[in-house]
Amino acid sequence: MRVVFMGTPEFARPVLAEILSQGHEVVAVYTRPPAPAGRGMALVPSPVHKLAEGFGIPVFTPRSFRDEEVIATFAGLGADVAVVVAYGLILPKAALEAPVEGCLNLHASLLPRWRGAAPIQRAIMAGDTKTGVMVMRMEEGLDTGPVALADTVEIEPDMTAGELHDRLSLLGADLMARALGALSRGTLTFTAQSEEGVTYARKIDKAEARIDWSRPAEEIHNHICGLSPFPGAWFEADWGQGPQRVKALHAQFAEGYGVAGTLLDDELTVACGSGAIRLVQVQRAGKTPMGAAEFLKGAPLAQGKRLA
C-alpha cells in the first residue's frame, strides 16, 4: 500500500521499520521538528526522522497542521492510508480525510480506557494489571475512533513504564502490520468503542513526580514504576550536604512499618503511610542508576533517617 507514516518518539520507530519490512511503499514521513538536546543544545532529529532518512524517505516537519499549504502538501501525496503513532500534532478533519482509507492510529491502551497522552504511565500508576495496543481509525475526537485490532499484555509486578513501553512498541509494530495487510485485502473491519469505562491519561506533569511517603505502599510503588525512567519519581535525602534529590527507578514491596519516610534498614526499605517498599534502583543527580548498596556507600544514611 501507499503509506504516509506520522510519528516521532522511539515508540513509533519499530512500527515504521515493520511497515517497511512488509514491503509497503512509504512515500513520506511526518515527524516533529528537530529539538535542542544535550549540553550544547544542538538540534537533534527525532528517532523516526533518523530512521526515515536512513531509508531515503522524504521527511516533513511542520509545526502545525492548521496551515492550508501543509494540508495541501499532505493530500497531494496520494496516500492510500496514513499510519499515525505518537505523532504529537492534532490532525484536522481535512487531513484525516485526505488518504483514501483515512488515518490509522496505534494507541497504547485498551480503549476506551486511557485515552490521551500518557496511557502507559497512567495504567501502571493506577495499578492496572493489564493493558495493550489497539489500531483504530482516527476521528476528530481524542482517541474516540472505531477499533480494528487489539492485543493485550499483562502488567507484571514491578514492571516500569519503560519496560512496558518497549513491549508494547514491538507488539504494536506487528499489530499495525497485520492491520495494513487486512486493509490491502479489503478485510479490515472496525467496531465502535464502548461508551462505558472511558478514562483519560493526561500528560505527565513533572510537578507530580515527588514521592509522598504518607501514601500507602501500593500507591507509592505504582507511582515509582509508572514514572520510571522518565521523568522519574523522586525524594530528597540529607546526609550532611544539604537536601539532595534522588530518583527512584525500581521498587518492590517489603516488610516493615514505621513513621512514613523513615529508612527501616540498610537495604533502602522505606516506611510508607501503610506498609513499606524497598528501593531497588535509584539515581542521584548527574550519576548513573545504581543499586541500594552502591548508593548507600556514597550516601551513608543510617536506619531511622527520614526521607523527604
Side-chain angles (χ1 to χ4, degrees), residues 142-304:
L142 178 62
D143 300 326
T144 58
V147 174
L149 296 177
D151 264 331
T152 301
V153 298
E154 299 296 320
I155 300 179
E156 300 170 1
D158 307 324
M159 176 178 274
T160 66
E163 293 164 344
L164 183 57
H165 165 284
D166 293 349
R167 181 172 298 184
L168 292 178
S169 178
L170 295 177
L171 190 66
D174 176 70
L175 192 70
M176 184 58 76
R178 284 192 276 142
L180 290 180
L183 185 64
S184 67
R185 297 188 297 271
T187 59
L188 190 66
T189 59
F190 295 85
T191 302
Q193 292 185 37
S194 172
E195 295 297 324
E196 299 180 356
V198 176
T199 59
Y200 290 94
R202 70 183 188 279
K203 185 178 180 181
I204 299 296
D205 187 333
K206 289 185 178 180
E208 64 183 301
R210 186 166 189 164
I211 298 171
D212 178 359
W213 296 110
S214 69
R215 294 164 62 188
E218 183 177 1
E219 291 183 13
I220 294 175
H221 170 272
N222 295 341
H223 184 204
I224 291 171
C225 293
L227 296 182
S228 177
F230 183 83
W234 59 273
F235 60 92
E236 286 185 341
D238 188 346
W239 53 90
Q241 302 171 331
Q244 305 289 316
R245 183 177 294 195
V246 181
K247 286 185 179 181
L249 300 178
H250 283 271
Q252 297 174 345
F253 293 111
E255 297 293 329
Y257 62 92
V259 176
T262 302
L263 279 176
L264 300 178
D265 56 26
D266 59 358
E267 295 182 334
L268 278 184
T269 300
V270 187
C272 305
S274 61
I277 61 167
R278 178 170 293 113
L279 302 179
V280 178
Q281 187 180 56
V282 297
Q283 184 178 19
R284 294 168 58 184
K287 304 292 184 179
T288 57
M290 62 187 73
E294 183 181 357
F295 171 74
L296 289 172
K297 285 181 181 178
L301 299 171
Q303 183 174 335

Side-chain angles (χ1 to χ4, degrees), residues 2-85:
R2 190 174 172 87
V3 177
V4 171
F5 187 85
M6 312 179 83
T8 297
E10 184 61 34
F11 183 83
R13 200 176 70 86
V15 187
L16 174 57
E18 184 64 21
I19 290 173
L20 289 167
S21 74
Q22 294 297 315
H24 296 287
E25 182 187 5
V26 179
V27 295
V29 162
Y30 280 74
T31 188
R32 295 298 298 272
R39 292 184 179 180
M41 299 301 285
L43 293 178
V44 178
S46 73
V48 166
H49 192 149
K50 293 177 183 178
L51 180 61
E53 285 189 333
F55 280 92
I57 302 170
V59 177
F60 296 88
T61 60
R63 296 190 178 278
S64 169
F65 254 82
R66 297 175 182 175
D67 191 310
E68 291 185 3
E69 185 176 342
V70 171
I71 297 176
T73 299
F74 177 69
L77 294 169
D80 295 316
V81 65
V83 171
V84 185
V85 186

